[in-house]
Amino acid sequence: MDPLARRFDDWASRRSLTWAQTGVLAVVIAAAVTGMGFAPDTTGAMLIGGAQLAFVVVAGWRILLTLAPAPAPGDVAPGSDLPRYTILVALLDEAAVIDQLVGRLSRIDYPAHRLEAFLLLEAHDHETIDAAWHADRPDWMSILIAPPGDPRTKPRALNVGLAAATGELVTVYDAEDDPDPLQLREAAARFAADPSGRLSALQAPLRIRTATRTRTPFLDRQFAIEYASLFEVTLPAMARLGLPFPMGGTSNHFRASWLRAVGGWDAHNVTEDADLGFRLWRAGGRLGVIRHPTHEPPPGGLGSWLPQRTRWLKGFMQTLGVHTRSFGSLRWQGVVALLMTILVSLASAAVHAISLAWVTALVLVAAAAGLEPRASLFSLGVLGLGTVAAWISALIGARRAGLSYRMSDAAMAPFYWSLLTLAFFHAFVRLFYEPFAWNKTRHLPDAIDLQAEAVAEPSMAGRQAA
C-alpha cells in the first residue's frame, strides 16, 4: 500500500486526541476559565465579540459564494471508445428498491462493453441478496458479497468493490438514486479534458424530488432547498475557487488510481465522503463538479431525518478531528475550506435553536412587560445578516435546481435549522458511545416510479389483448 494510504489508515478509528490537539484544547479552556475568574466582564465581552465576528465572516463567505456564476452545461463524451467505468452501490436492507435501482442504472447511456457495476451486499442480508439475484440485471451488473467483518459500514463495502473494480473511473450510487443517463459521459469528458491528471474527483448535483413524499411537506421542502443551496451554489463555487470540499455520499466520480493512492474510503468514518474530499486534496488532487444531476427522494419524516442527520454530524465531528491532527499537507486553502464547511456546519447546528430561542424569549418577555425588546443592534444585525445570507443561497440554489422558493419557505427555515441542534447533540453523545455505528435509513420505491408502472401495466395489457 502507498505510504500516504497507510498514514490515513487508522485516522477515524483512532479515538484519542493527538498531543497537539490536547495542548490547544487545554490552552483554550484554561484561558477561558482564568479569564472568567479574574475578569469576567472583559472575557465575556471578548467571547461574545469573537462569536459575532465569526458570524459576520461566515455570512460574508456565503454571500461571496453566491456571486460565483452557475457552472456551464457540461459536454458529454461521444462514441463508444471511452474509459472503462465501474459503478459501486453499497446496499443493506434494500430489497424493496432493488428492481427500481436496477431499472434506473440500466438506463445509463454508456457503452455496455466499457461498463461494470457491483451491487455490494452484506452476507447476513439474505432478503436483499435474494431480491438482487431475482432482479432483471444487465450483463454488466454483478453481485458482490462483502465478507463478514467490522465495522459494518458503507465505506467498508465500497472498499470491497474497489478491490474488484477494473474501471479507470469509478462512481458511487445509493439505493434510492436516479442518475441522469448522461452523467457518466459528462464525467468521462471532464476527466479526459484534464491533461495534468490532477483532477481526482467530480461531484454531480443531488436534487430532491419533493413530489415523491407528501406526508412531511415541511421537512421535504426544507431538505430539498438545503440540498439545492449546497450542491447548486456552495460546491460549484468552491470548485471554481480551486478549494477542496466535503463530497456528497453519492454520485461522486473518481479516477480509480487516485482512490487507490489514498487507500480508498475510511471504513470507520460515517461520512466517508466528506473525509475523502479533503484526503484527495492532501494527496495533491483537485476536485470539480459536473452538471448532469442525480435525483433522490427526501428522507421522509423526523423518524428518518433525525438518524440520518445525526450520522452526518457525527461523521463531520470525526472528519474535523482527523484533519486537524496535521495541517501541513492541507495547506491554507484546505484549512479555509475545512473551517468554512465542516466546522461551520457543526457550529451552526449547535447554536441554531439557541439563537432562535434567545430572539423569541427577548420578544416575548418584552411584549409581556409592555417594553421594547432590549438587545444590541449589532447582535441582532449579525443574526439578521447570517439569516439573509442563508436565504440568498437557498433562493439561488432552488432556482438552479428547478425548485420554487416561496416566502413561506424562508419563514419556516429557522425552525428547520433549529432541528439541526437536536441532531447535533444526538451526534455528540453518540460520538462517544457509538462512534462507528451506521444509522441506516430504509428506502421505499418512489412514487414517480410507481406511477410510471401503473401507467405501463394497462398499456401492456391492452397490447396483449390486441
Side-chain angles (χ1 to χ4, degrees):
M1 184 182 292
D2 183 273
L4 180 65
R6 285 197 299 271
R7 186 157 62 94
F8 284 97
D9 246 2
D10 64 344
W11 270 20
S13 61
R14 174 178 177 173
R15 301 181 62 185
S16 61
L17 298 175
T18 64
W19 284 108
Q21 288 173 314
T22 303
V24 170
L25 188 61
V27 168
V28 170
I29 293 174
V33 171
T34 302
M36 294 303 292
F38 290 95
D41 292 342
T42 302
T43 302
M46 291 177 63
L47 291 174
I48 292 172
Q52 292 173 336
L53 178 61
F55 264 81
V56 171
V57 170
V58 171
W61 167 258
R62 287 178 172 167
I63 292 173
L64 172 66
L65 296 183
T66 64
L67 299 178
D75 295 330
V76 297
S80 60
D81 187 19
L82 298 174
R84 187 163 179 78
Y85 228 117
T86 299
I87 299 172
L88 301 179
V89 190
L91 301 168
L92 177 63
D93 298 332
E94 298 287 11
V97 296
I98 284 290
D99 288 334
Q100 171 184 280
L101 171 69
V102 170
R104 289 173 169 180
L105 295 183
S106 299
R107 294 196 294 267
I108 288 177
D109 182 359
Y110 205 82
H113 69 285
R114 307 298 291 163
L115 191 61
E116 70 176 359
F118 293 110
L119 303 181
L120 306 169
L121 310 177
E122 299 290 339
H124 72 281
D125 187 8
H126 303 295
E127 186 180 3
T128 307
I129 292 173
D130 183 64
W133 278 115
H134 286 88
D136 187 17
R137 292 174 286 111
D139 293 340
W140 45 265
M141 188 180 297
S142 305
I143 294 172
L144 189 58
I145 309 297
D150 290 316
R152 190 178 292 168
T153 59
K154 173 185 172 181
R156 177 180 176 271
L158 291 177
N159 283 331
V160 172
L162 181 61
T166 62
E168 300 169 49
L169 305 178
V170 175
T171 189
V172 175
Y173 290 124
D174 282 344
E176 70 275 23
D177 284 353
D178 186 5
D180 187 292
L182 292 175
Q183 192 178 111
L184 268 60
R185 285 186 178 268
E186 183 187 357
R190 282 291 305 279
F191 283 121
D194 173 50
S196 70
R198 287 189 56 224
L199 183 61
S200 55
L202 294 165
Q203 176 67 57
L206 304 181
R207 295 179 181 170
I208 304 302
R209 284 177 172 149
T210 56
T212 60
R213 298 284 176 92
T214 57
R215 287 183 239 172
T216 54
F218 164 68
L219 278 176
D220 291 355
R221 282 196 60 80
Q222 292 295 329
F223 187 82
I225 292 167
E226 180 186 30
Y227 257 44
S229 176
L230 175 63
F231 288 100
E232 310 288 344
V233 178
T234 300
L235 299 192
M238 293 186 71
R240 191 178 185 88
L241 292 172
L243 299 174
F245 51 79
M247 305 191 75
T250 174
S251 306
N252 27 48
H253 302 256
F254 305 95
R255 292 188 196 269
S257 57
W258 277 95
L259 266 181
R260 293 189 173 100
V262 298
W265 291 269
D266 186 339
H268 288 84
N269 192 314
V270 296
T271 52
E272 77 295 335
D273 43 356
D275 166 73
L276 188 55
F278 290 100
R279 206 141 43 91
L280 290 167
W281 169 266
R282 282 181 178 271
R286 246 183 344 104
L287 279 63
V289 297
I290 54 178
R291 294 301 298 150
H292 287 84
T294 292
H295 290 93
E296 293 185 343
L302 190 63
S304 297
W305 179 91
L306 183 59
Q308 182 190 68
R309 190 53 58 103
T310 296
R311 175 174 63 80
W312 290 357
L313 290 172
K314 181 175 71 172
F316 273 24
M317 294 174 190
Q318 290 178 316
T319 300
L320 184 66
V322 163
H323 290 283
T324 54
R325 291 175 184 169
S326 170
F327 289 106
S329 58
L330 199 57
R331 307 188 300 282
W332 70 266
Q333 299 98 323
V335 173
V336 169
L338 182 71
L339 297 180
M340 287 299 180
T341 54
I342 302 297
L343 179 61
V344 165
S345 295
L346 290 170
S348 298
V351 303
H352 274 314
I354 297 170
S355 299
L356 181 62
W358 174 71
V359 173
T360 303
L362 191 70
V363 171
L364 292 179
V365 170
L371 302 172
E372 292 185 4
R374 297 188 63 185
S376 164
L377 289 178
F378 184 72
S379 297
L380 294 176
V382 166
L383 283 177
L385 179 63
T387 301
V388 169
W391 282 342
I392 293 172
S393 181
L395 172 62
I396 295 173
R399 287 181 174 175
R400 292 178 182 176
L403 296 171
S404 61
Y405 189 66
R406 304 186 288 257
M407 289 296 295
S408 58
D409 296 319
M412 295 301 291
F415 298 98
Y416 177 76
W417 300 338
S418 296
L419 290 175
L420 296 175
T421 305
L422 176 62
F424 174 86
F425 287 105
H426 271 242
F428 184 76
V429 171
R430 291 172 69 90
L431 182 67
F432 289 94
Y433 77 90
E434 259 185 340
F436 313 125
W438 189 276
N439 297 103
K440 179 72 181 66
T441 302
R442 280 202 180 200
H443 300 97
L444 297 173
D446 286 353
I448 189 171
D449 288 85
L450 295 176
Q451 292 167 4
E453 290 176 9
V455 171
E457 286 176 4
S459 176
M460 179 64 72
R463 285 198 297 270
Q464 291 173 346

